[in-house]
Amino acid sequence: MNPLREDLHALAEQAPAVDLAAQAVRGARRRRATRLAVAIAAATCLIAGGGTVLLQQLRPEPPVMLTPPETTVSPLPPEGVGPIEQAYRPECRTTTCAKNAWRLVTRDGDTYELTTAPETGPLAVTADGRRLAYYSSKQRTIVVRDLASGRTWKSPLKQPAEDFSRSAEHTLRLSPSGLRFIVSSWGGRREPNKLVDVEGGTVSDLPRGWWPVSVSDGSGPVVLVKPYENSSQVRVLGHDPITIPDFTYDYSALAPDGRTLTRLGQTYDPNRRPMVQLDGSIVVFDPVRGGRETRVPISGMPEGLQPSGLGGWLNSTEVTVVATPESPRGPKPMVYAMDVRTGKTRELFALRNYGKTLVPGLVH
């Protein structure tokens, strides 16, 4: 199924100047749910500090790529697991694998199967790859697990499985420690948008219609966005929203300085189809004060790859960026580190199963 952002872009091109976040989200998400159950929108995330991101229709169709040969892998051990590099859902054609169970690939190359997370529930990995969070239908809550020690934490927020049914769409956005997160769901009977502090045992309601981008540990900043027809509002909780001149979901996590956010650059032409297209740049801006923006061309990627998603920060100047093929016969999708001052990139790793892949910290 195509990502929500495809539907919202299509609606934005036809709709009058109204708040699409308020009127289009439900319809767009329901249309998504009636298509394929597994998103072929390229969700890729970043190894050391991002989130996960879904490609928009304004990008070329993803290439047809074969999934790795089906093999039997061991269940995720209770402890002693190294940091996760990426996770993917393989196609299950035999009785030896759990249907649509996530497979977790560590940075050392080990692969494990996660059988405790339900097929339709959310899954997220902290930006450093060391902690995993997923919905437990048995415990009716989000469980956070440290992969090395095996220690687990239960969210104080109890949620019915219907929050994550096939008819709903959901997002789980983790803080660096995984012990503070936002869980959101749209399209079902309930539409929660909650900020949860696991250690503090608190649950706070977030404003409806705002999509979570980034959440920090402790009492740190929380970043939300709301797209409109030809613009978006970006809001750091505790501050007034700012308006940017793009309809987009393609943001990075908030930088370590708490005042820098990036998004993929785009151009708009009402006489072109699609009207909005990525332009191969990154836009750096202040989500608290707004004002001047810096647009930096992205460089260093091989011909045939284009930047298509952002995640977390590797350090004070480098953010993770996903690059995907411009054509079906293009190069393999890759994850890069990019210097936001110069736009130069350096390769991190290749994706194993493009289209059904999650990378730690991806903003999606």
Side-chain angles (χ1 to χ4, degrees):
M1 81 188 146
N2 294 324
L4 164 66
R5 283 170 285 182
E6 296 181 9
D7 299 281
L8 290 180
H9 272 293
L11 286 169
E13 293 177 3
Q14 303 173 25
V18 295
D19 180 352
L20 294 184
Q23 299 188 22
V25 169
R26 285 193 180 86
R29 293 179 185 272
R30 289 195 187 99
R31 285 193 295 277
R32 289 192 66 197
T34 62
R35 301 169 191 164
L36 296 177
V38 178
I40 61 172
T44 337
C45 298
L46 318 147
I47 185 169
T52 13
V53 31
L54 302 177
L55 299 185
Q56 305 173 12
Q57 190 174 6
L58 58 87
R59 303 167 193 160
E61 289 297 316
V64 177
M65 299 185 68
L66 297 178
T67 56
E70 188 173 304
T71 58
T72 301
V73 299
S74 302
L76 182 68
E79 59 184 23
V81 178
I84 294 173
E85 178 186 85
Q86 56 189 287
Y88 68 92
R89 286 188 187 272
E91 293 185 18
C92 187
R93 303 184 186 90
T94 71
T95 58
T96 59
C97 67
K99 184 178 180 181
N100 288 327
W102 283 99
R103 290 190 176 181
L104 310 176
V105 183
T106 69
R107 296 180 195 169
D108 294 330
D110 298 322
T111 302
Y112 303 105
E113 196 162 69
L114 181 66
T115 59
T116 52
E119 180 181 344
T120 58
L123 177 79
V125 181
T126 55
D128 63 6
R130 300 179 185 277
R131 288 181 177 174
L132 176 74
Y134 60 92
Y135 177 72
S136 169
S137 54
K138 181 178 181 180
Q139 301 184 64
R140 294 171 61 85
T141 192
I142 301 292
V143 174
V144 181
R145 176 174 171 179
D146 187 274
L147 294 165
S149 69
R151 181 181 177 184
T152 61
W153 295 263
K154 290 192 299 183
S155 164
L157 175 65
K158 294 294 184 180
Q159 293 186 268
E162 68 187 47
D163 282 358
F164 311 112
S165 66
R166 290 185 182 276
S167 63
E169 185 169 342
H170 41 264
T171 295
L172 178 59
R173 186 79 66 239
L174 302 180
S175 71
S177 72
L179 299 182
R180 191 175 184 227
F181 61 82
I182 297 173
V183 58
S184 304
S185 181
W186 301 267
R189 289 176 53 193
R190 293 159 25 108
E191 294 190 336
N193 197 17
K194 306 284 188 178
L195 174 63
V196 180
D197 186 328
V198 177
E199 288 187 307
T202 61
V203 180
S204 305
D205 287 316
L206 295 175
R208 293 176 66 89
W210 289 82
W211 185 74
V213 167
S214 183
V215 55
S216 302
D217 285 322
S219 58
V222 173
V223 182
L224 308 172
V225 299
K226 179 187 285 190
Y228 292 83
E229 182 179 2
N230 296 314
S231 65
S232 299
Q233 284 195 313
V234 180
R235 178 179 182 182
V236 178
L237 290 188
H239 301 273
D240 292 334
I242 68 166
T243 300
I244 62 172
D246 290 328
F247 176 105
T248 182
Y249 286 92
D250 291 324
Y251 301 89
S252 71
L254 188 66
D257 64 8
R259 303 296 291 266
T260 303
L261 201 66
T262 67
R263 68 181 189 271
L264 291 178
Q266 58 181 237
T267 59
Y268 172 78
D269 184 347
N271 298 317
R272 181 181 60 193
R273 293 295 181 272
M275 294 182 184
V276 179
Q277 295 184 16
L278 297 180
D279 64 5
S281 72
I282 190 171
V283 180
V284 184
F285 66 102
D286 186 330
V288 175
R289 294 175 296 186
R292 180 176 179 271
E293 298 183 340
T294 303
R295 187 176 297 266
V296 183
I298 299 174
S299 62
M301 296 178 182
E303 184 177 354
L305 285 182
Q306 65 173 357
S308 56
L310 298 169
W313 293 73
L314 299 170
N315 49 55
S316 62
T317 61
E318 286 187 312
V319 69
T320 46
V321 58
V322 176
T324 53
E326 296 177 339
S327 70
R329 298 184 181 277
K332 288 183 178 180
M334 299 290 299
V335 177
Y336 291 86
M338 185 189 63
D339 191 313
V340 300
R341 302 166 301 178
T342 65
K344 292 183 178 179
T345 59
R346 59 183 177 88
E347 185 178 305
L348 293 179
F349 59 90
L351 298 181
R352 293 199 175 194
N353 193 25
Y354 174 67
K356 303 175 186 177
T357 303
L358 176 150
V359 181
L362 182 66
V363 179
H364 69 105

